């Protein structure tokens, strides 16, 4: 008989580094466009699994020795290959026992209708502007769950000031998948208080000033500097943005970007190949590194 112990054992066997099971009732009151019960109305729980991103990939960027492999191995491979195979194995295990398993990988390039943010990791994102409900009272497709909320409900971690999910063992160096299921599994307690102590180290570390403790993350600002519009980008030529009257403000991170101005600058931010649909990370994820270092110094990891 399928139970939580088997699920957790198999998740680790199939390659996950973290696994937790959340009570689906804890999503009560969630925006229907984010609610897993709108995906599988008879669901009883949600299974969350995390995959560590090797910290040396971050250290290689921090030392400016290598940038490309973080994007390929730490983002694309985990989300599009490792996680997908893992989910299909776990889904098969659950459905062989007669239950449904609705698999949820990171939907990197899509945004629900009304969500005007972007994903800095992608060349661009698409808001589902024209999606319409199939009937009154139903949410518009696609329903995209909030991974930070789901991770907390599954007892794995909670979001920090920079918007990243921070977990006790790996800090912010982790990526997630989820499975919405009607299997009657024993659930874990939600993650309590966030490990984020609002120290502000991520705010200070961001070369684009994209993070605010009061207002959160300007994802379009983040996207511009993730792609390398800052002075510390080692691939940036000396004539970058020559003739642009806002050049100094852009390089200093004091120019504030929105959706239109960020997209207008994207063609200038072509420092490394990006033929996979993912933008090379040329800020070095300084926010995550600062967060990780702070948590280690405080003995919280």
């Amino acid at each position: 008989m399928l139970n939580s112990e088997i699920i957790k054992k198999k998740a680790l066997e199939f390659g996950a580094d973290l696994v937790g099971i959340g009570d689906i009732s804890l999503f009560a009151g969630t925006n229907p466009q984010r609610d897993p019960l709108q995906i599988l109305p008879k669901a009883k729980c949600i299974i969350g699994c995390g995959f560590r991103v090797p910290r040396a990939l971050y250290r290689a960027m921090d030392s400016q020795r290598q940038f490309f492999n973080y994007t390929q191995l730490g983002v694309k491979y985990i989300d599009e290959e490792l996680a997908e195979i893992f989910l299909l194995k776990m889904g098969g295990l659950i459905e062989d026992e007669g239950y449904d398993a609705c698999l949820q990988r990171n939907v990197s390039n899509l945004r629900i209708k009304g969500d005007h943010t972007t994903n800095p990791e992608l060349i661009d994102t698409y808001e589902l502007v024209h999606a319409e409900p199939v009937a009154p009272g139903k949410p518009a497709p696609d329903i995209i769950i909030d991974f930070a909320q789901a991770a907390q409900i599954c007892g794995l971690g909670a979001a920090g000031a920079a918007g990243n999910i921070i977990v006790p063992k790996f800090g912010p160096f982790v990526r997630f998948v989820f499975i919405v299921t009607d299997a009657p599994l024993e659930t874990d307690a939600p993650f309590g208080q966030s490990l984020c102590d609002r120290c502000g180290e991520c705010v200070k570390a961001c070369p684009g000033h994209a993070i605010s403790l009061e207002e959160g993350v300007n994802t379009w600002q983040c996207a511009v500097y993730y792609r390398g519009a800052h002075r510390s980008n080692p691939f940036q030529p000396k004539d970058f943005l020559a003739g642009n009257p806002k050049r100094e403000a852009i390089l200093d991170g004091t120019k504030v970007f929105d959706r239109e101005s960020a997209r207008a600058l994207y063609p200038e931010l072509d420092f490394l190949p990006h033929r996979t649909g993912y933008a090379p990370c040329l800020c070095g994820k300084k926010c995550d590194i600062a967060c990780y270092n702070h948590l280690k110094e405080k003995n919280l990891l």
Side-chain angles (χ1 to χ4, degrees):
M1 178 179 177
L2 193 66
N3 57 38
S4 296
E5 182 181 356
I6 292 172
I7 287 291
K8 292 180 177 181
K9 179 181 178 181
K10 284 296 184 180
L12 297 175
E13 181 182 317
F14 292 159
D17 296 291
L18 303 169
V19 57
I21 303 173
D23 185 343
I24 206 73
S25 68
L26 296 178
F27 286 92
T30 297
N31 176 353
Q33 299 292 153
R34 303 285 193 191
D35 188 355
L37 272 170
Q38 296 289 341
I39 302 172
L40 189 65
K42 60 181 180 177
K44 292 183 172 63
C45 63
I46 182 169
I47 304 165
C49 299
F51 301 89
R52 68 191 296 176
V53 181
R55 61 179 176 268
L57 292 176
Y58 293 88
R59 289 176 175 168
M61 291 192 293
D62 196 36
S63 64
Q64 296 197 328
R65 289 185 172 91
Q66 188 181 62
F67 290 82
F68 198 70
N69 267 336
Y70 166 77
T71 304
Q72 296 304 300
L73 295 175
V75 179
K76 179 182 181 296
Y77 175 75
I78 293 177
D79 282 359
E80 293 196 356
E81 298 180 55
L82 176 62
E84 289 184 346
I85 294 170
F86 170 85
L87 283 170
L88 290 169
K89 286 182 176 180
M90 290 296 294
L93 173 72
I94 293 167
E95 295 201 344
D96 280 349
E97 295 296 322
Y99 303 106
D100 287 337
C102 197
L103 314 177
Q104 306 294 303
R105 56 153 280 191
N106 186 22
V107 186
S108 302
N109 64 335
L110 291 184
R111 289 289 179 269
I112 63 170
K113 186 176 185 177
D115 182 351
H116 305 309
T117 64
T118 191
N119 183 344
E121 296 170 345
L122 274 292
I123 296 304
D124 208 349
T125 51
Y126 179 79
E127 179 191 345
L128 296 167
V129 177
H130 304 294
E132 297 294 340
V134 296
K138 292 183 178 292
D142 252 14
I143 296 163
I144 302 174
I145 69 171
D146 182 332
F147 272 31
Q149 179 190 27
Q152 188 157 13
I153 286 174
C154 290
L156 298 175
N164 46 15
I165 302 169
I166 306 172
V167 304
K169 188 173 182 180
F170 306 117
F173 299 170
V174 63
R175 301 186 75 85
F176 291 92
V177 297
F178 296 91
I179 302 173
V180 183
T181 180
D182 58 345
L185 304 174
E186 181 181 355
T187 59
D188 298 302
F191 196 81
Q193 188 174 357
S194 172
L195 291 174
C196 176
D197 59 6
R198 315 287 290 178
C199 68
E201 292 300 316
C202 59
V203 176
K204 292 185 285 186
C206 177
H209 307 294
I211 306 167
S212 164
L213 292 181
E214 294 75 30
E215 299 178 9
V217 181
N218 176 341
T219 59
W220 295 100
Q221 189 84 2
C222 176
V224 167
Y225 291 93
Y226 187 101
R227 288 164 168 76
H230 48 88
R231 294 186 189 277
S232 58
N233 172 9
F235 302 103
Q236 191 179 103
K238 292 182 179 180
D239 62 351
F240 174 64
L241 296 182
N244 187 319
K246 297 182 180 179
R247 180 178 187 273
E248 295 305 311
I250 292 172
L251 292 175
D252 290 340
T254 57
K255 156 71 176 168
V256 178
F257 287 90
D258 56 18
R259 179 161 55 171
E260 289 71 28
S261 58
R263 282 178 165 154
L265 192 66
Y266 283 176
E268 304 289 341
L269 307 177
D270 191 21
F271 305 108
L272 277 182
H274 47 74
R275 295 178 178 83
T276 61
Y278 287 83
C281 178
L282 298 181
C283 67
K285 293 291 284 185
K286 294 185 186 301
C287 57
D288 282 354
I289 292 170
C291 175
Y292 182 87
N293 290 341
H294 173 74
L295 293 172
K296 288 290 285 185
E297 288 170 5
K298 295 292 184 179
N299 295 314
L300 295 175
L301 298 183

